[in-house]
């Protein structure tokens, strides 16, 4: 079988397209060429006040403190996370005293964290997964 001389012209085409794309996207703005920067819309949504009068007034740089529409959601979320953490801890302590097999919500949370760890390991590799998630490292 005869071997052909390899001409890597496709690599040069891809490199040229990458450079042109970088220039047109404004990637070389630091060199004085702005190109065609993307249009970045400014989205501002003011928080809605649930009460007209402030709950209390903070010192000078902060001002009045109003109850806004995101605070009840934040409070419910924090309470829900604390409850899940409490019951997970209780289930894992109970399984540590018996047969080391988590049951109920402990099993669910272990499966969830293992899923997150395995996704990180498949994306970043086995070498970098423990560095990215040292608190999820398998025991």
């Amino acid at each position: 079988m005869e071997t052909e001389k390899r001409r890597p012209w496709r690599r040069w085409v891809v490199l040229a397209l990458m450079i042109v794309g970088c220039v047109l996207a404004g990637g070389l703005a630091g060199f004085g060429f702005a190109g065609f920067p993307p249009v970045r819309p400014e989205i501002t949504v003011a928080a809605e006040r649930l009460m007209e009068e402030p709950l209390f007034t903070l010192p000078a740089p902060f001002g009045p403190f109003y109850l806004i529409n995101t605070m009840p959601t934040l409070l419910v979320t924090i309470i829900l996370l604390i409850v899940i953490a409490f019951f997970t801890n209780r289930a894992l302590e109970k399984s540590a005293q018996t047969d080391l097999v988590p049951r109920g919500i402990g099993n669910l949370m272990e499966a969830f964290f293992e899923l997150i760890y395995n996704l990180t390991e498949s994306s970043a590799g086995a070498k970098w997964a423990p560095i990215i998630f040292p608190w999820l490292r398998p025991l």
Side-chain angles (χ1 to χ4, degrees), residues 17-53:
L17 288 174
M18 287 173 63
I19 291 172
V20 167
C22 183
V23 168
L24 290 178
L28 299 176
F31 297 109
F33 182 76
F36 302 107
V39 177
R40 292 189 174 101
E42 181 178 336
I43 300 172
T44 56
V45 179
E48 297 178 17
R49 294 180 186 164
L50 296 178
M51 295 171 41
E52 291 300 320
E53 62 275 351

Side-chain angles (χ1 to χ4, degrees), residues 117 126-134 137:
Y117 184 81
K127 176 183 176 184
W128 295 104
I131 296 170
I132 294 172
F133 284 126
R137 187 175 303 144

Side-chain angles (χ1 to χ4, degrees), residues 37-132:
V39 177
R40 292 189 174 101
E42 181 178 336
I43 300 172
T44 56
V45 179
E48 297 178 17
R49 294 180 186 164
L50 296 178
M51 295 171 41
E52 291 300 320
E53 62 275 351
L55 291 176
F56 51 87
T57 304
L58 296 172
F62 301 109
F65 185 81
Y66 290 96
L67 180 64
I68 57 174
N69 59 352
T70 56
M71 284 187 192
T73 307
L74 178 66
L75 185 65
V76 168
T77 304
I78 290 172
I79 290 171
L80 185 64
L81 285 174
I82 289 172
V83 167
I84 289 173
F86 174 75
F87 284 114
T88 302
N89 187 29
R90 197 171 90 176
L92 291 177
E93 283 178 355
K94 186 187 246 185
S95 68
Q97 293 173 357
T98 57
D99 57 355
L100 296 177
V101 178
R103 290 182 175 80
I105 194 166
N107 193 12
L108 179 69
M109 295 308 289
E110 183 177 346
F112 174 73
F113 282 114
E114 189 172 344
L115 171 77
I116 298 293
Y117 184 81
N118 287 339
L119 284 172
T120 304
E121 191 175 30
S122 66
S123 325
K127 176 183 176 184
W128 295 104
I131 296 170
I132 294 172

